[in-house]
Amino acid sequence: MSLSGVNEVLSGIRPHGGKVQSRNLDGMGFAEQLQSIGEKMGCSSAEVYQKYLERRYGNVMIQSVENDQKSMDRLGAATSGTGNVVIAPNILEQMAKNPEKAAYYEGKIQQYFQTLPMCQAQLSAMGHEIHSSGVVIHPDGTVTYYVMADLKPEVRAKIEAQIRAEDEAKAKRKREYQRSSEAAAERWRQELKLSAVSADRLNFMEMPDILVCPWV
């Protein structure tokens, strides 16, 4: 099986639009064109269709990704950029054979790319940038658009600088409080000493010259 030269052959395919399949000059529909090319190249219609999708959308990955948070998190961590298209193998087979399914799912893919600039603008306004995003067609036929974003470097640096400044201000207030507490404690100790000295002097001055013992 060889796919060499498929791209040149695919350049002659007329993509379908909406729910109506376009036909080439020989009168063949889109699915028929895929099958014909596959027979000529010794490969399946799904493989030819994958090459066709790659020509239209770029990074197309054929793999099963379940529609759950853990699976989507793994995918987001394993991909980068905004041009990720993931299609389950069973769905790719259906798209290659069923024009209506192909039109439906390609519409979902196109919708992702059409709404991507708006999503990027909204995230940018909030100080974020996209690390990875794309569209996933799951084995059960559901479609998910995913985005993994993080703070822009300059925004993160500004926040970190603000946190450092707040920490330094707290540390400064703590040092000032400790100094004032120590000063207050020292004043209190000095006042206690003065009070004790004054009491001793008072007792000495009030002591009588002659002590009279009642039992002498």
Side-chain angles (χ1 to χ4, degrees), residues 102-130:
Y104 172 77
Y105 287 118
E106 283 198 48
K108 294 294 184 181
I109 296 171
Q110 291 170 10
Q111 183 180 359
Y112 161 74
F113 284 106
Q114 290 169 357
T115 57
L116 178 60
M118 180 177 66
C119 180
Q120 289 175 313
Q122 291 175 346
L123 287 170
S124 179
M126 294 187 291
H128 289 72
E129 62 182 2
I130 296 177

Side-chain angles (χ1 to χ4, degrees), residues 14 17 24 44 46 60 64-65 100-101 117 124 151 158 162-163 172 186 194 196 211-212:
R14 297 180 58 193
N24 65 5
S44 67
V60 177
S64 293
V65 177
E100 291 186 357
K101 287 200 179 238
S124 179
L151 291 172
K158 183 178 180 180
Q162 183 178 354
I163 293 174
K172 182 180 179 180
E186 181 62 24
L194 290 174
L211 294 176
V212 179

